Amino acid sequence: FAPMDLVVQSPDELLAAVPHVLGFKPEESIVLVPFRPGLPITRVDLPRTAADREEVWDALSGPYSRHARPGARLAIICVTEDRRSAELASQHLADRLQGVGVDTHIRLWSDGERWREFNTGQTGLQTPSTAERIAAATVLTGAAQPAASRESLAASMVGDREPIAQLLPAARTAAAASKPAAERDWALGRLEQFHVDGNRLSDVDGARMLVALETISTRDALWEDMSRKNSTSHMAIWTDLTRRGPDEVRAAPASMLGFASWLHGDGAKAWCALDQVPVDRPCSMAAIVASALQNGIHPREWERYQTQMRDIAADLDESFVPKPPGQQRDIPGTQPVTDRPTPGR
């Protein structure tokens, strides 16, 4: 298994690598990690009842059935103190995956200190030296170090929204006195400048950009600029504006961040971004991101289908508000990775 060009050769190394693949340290979770490209990497909340286990499979069956290829293999990793629930859930999932042609090569349980491989009965300890070695190796790949938890990843998208809130009335007045084409050209130019220097937008520029994004043609022009090559830069600008954007203008940057995160292969951050779309401020673009995540669509498919997907976004009901189903499940990836709650919760 080689996420981010990392090679892991033991259960201890695999467990140490998982937070770097997901972007955060999982808790009370099941993580599916493929051994070959093609299948998504997925995290779901650990199901504890038979009904929950069926709901998890219902959520995962589509993407894994669609992407399964001959020889497909993966590891099921359960992170929890509840070893019995881990064993039942991983066996249930392994049986269902076998039915669609995916072999579960490893069923691994860890409570954060000890691990057990259910298929062989092998046991061992998670060691700090292994975690440090894997962390050092990921730094060399240029990857950001993982958040302490999914909650802390979500919290990183909330900042001080008052400065821009105070500037919005003036920004709206200025936009009304300007022309949409002029505002679109300014927004594209400011985005290009950010790509070059990476400097945080001032509060005045931030307010102007957020107001400009309310015009669909401007939003789409900025969206068209997005590619897998510049997704990191897009994630940076939209993370900042999602953190600083008041409710009335946050739906657009949060949706842009969700899309850029999915395109980058960071499903957990994409779902956290969609959570920042205010309930009373729906955004059709968010539907595209939610659909891509729920269906395990690989980011590389965007280039092939972007024209029809943009058309779908244009036709979508603007009342759509993306909310993951109850069971939290996450998808990031060079292979795509996914993270969302358990259906029904």
Side-chain angles (χ1 to χ4, degrees):
F1 166 61
M4 301 176 296
D5 297 323
L6 282 178
V7 176
V8 297
Q9 298 177 324
S10 69
D12 188 18
E13 290 184 348
L14 179 56
L15 289 165
V18 163
H20 299 277
V21 176
L22 294 177
F24 63 93
K25 184 177 179 181
E27 299 173 345
E28 299 303 315
S29 300
I30 291 185
V31 184
L32 280 65
V33 182
F35 286 90
R36 294 180 182 176
L39 295 175
I41 302 165
T42 302
R43 187 211 67 86
V44 281
D45 291 348
L46 180 73
R48 300 183 187 278
T49 68
D52 282 350
R53 290 191 285 272
E54 284 298 335
E55 283 195 82
V56 167
W57 176 242
D58 286 345
L60 301 184
S61 58
Y64 282 87
S65 299
R66 187 167 57 255
H67 295 299
R69 298 290 182 271
R73 298 187 306 158
L74 52 68
I76 297 176
I77 301 164
C78 300
V79 181
T80 177
E81 293 186 359
D82 186 351
R83 197 175 88 179
R84 179 61 177 161
S85 287
E87 187 161 14
L88 289 171
S90 63
Q91 185 61 64
H92 179 271
L93 204 46
D95 291 343
R96 294 293 188 272
L97 286 164
Q98 188 69 49
V100 299
V102 179
D103 180 52
T104 301
H105 188 62
I106 292 174
R107 288 194 302 128
L108 190 61
W109 164 78
S110 168
D111 64 359
E113 297 179 357
R114 301 165 295 157
W115 58 262
R116 180 180 185 87
E117 207 287 291
F118 290 130
N119 289 343
T120 64
Q122 183 183 4
T123 61
L125 297 175
Q126 288 186 251
T127 61
S129 60
T130 297
E132 290 165 7
R133 187 170 68 253
I134 294 294
T138 63
V139 168
L140 295 176
T141 70
Q145 293 303 288
S149 65
R150 192 181 189 279
E151 289 69 27
S152 62
L153 179 63
S156 71
M157 297 182 191
V158 180
D160 183 0
R161 290 164 173 162
E162 188 56 31
I164 284 182
Q166 292 181 3
L167 293 170
L168 282 178
R172 291 193 188 286
T173 299
S178 181
K179 294 181 179 179
E183 293 305 293
R184 180 171 65 251
D185 290 345
W186 174 85
L188 284 166
R190 188 63 187 84
L191 176 62
E192 183 59 34
Q193 182 184 335
F194 183 86
H195 286 328
V196 172
D197 62 30
N199 291 335
R200 181 176 186 260
L201 273 64
S202 67
D203 290 336
V204 171
D205 280 1
R208 185 176 180 181
M209 179 69 83
L210 290 169
V211 169
L213 276 174
E214 293 181 323
T215 301
I216 298 300
S217 60
T218 299
R219 182 207 68 182
D220 286 352
L222 299 179
W223 185 15
E224 271 190 50
D225 177 75
M226 215 178 283
S227 68
R228 294 176 71 187
K229 289 182 180 179
N230 67 12
S231 60
T232 300
S233 181
H234 271 279
M235 287 170 68
I237 190 171
W238 304 125
T239 294
D240 181 53
L241 290 178
T242 297
R243 283 175 51 81
R244 298 159 63 198
D247 280 4
E248 65 180 282
V249 289
R250 195 167 63 251
S255 298
M256 295 283 278
L257 172 58
F259 188 87
S261 300
W262 169 73
L263 204 59
H264 187 68
D266 192 339
K269 189 163 188 176
W271 272 124
C272 288
L274 294 189
D275 288 343
Q276 287 298 318
V277 176
V279 174
D280 62 343
R281 301 281 173 175
C283 179
S284 64
M285 182 183 177
I288 293 292
V289 185
S291 177
L293 290 166
Q294 288 167 338
N295 290 293
I297 296 173
H298 196 290
R300 66 171 171 254
E301 296 181 55
W302 170 244
E303 287 160 16
R304 191 186 321 163
Y305 298 120
Q306 61 175 303
T307 300
Q308 55 197 103
M309 290 175 80
R310 288 187 200 280
D311 289 343
I312 290 169
D315 293 340
L316 279 169
D317 179 358
E318 285 290 339
S319 68
F320 177 85
V321 179
K323 285 293 164 193
Q327 164 109 7
Q328 186 144 321
R329 179 175 131 217
D330 300 292
I331 301 185
T334 23
Q335 348 227 98
V337 186
T338 296
D339 175 82
R340 284 193 315 179
T342 307
R345 276 189 201 164

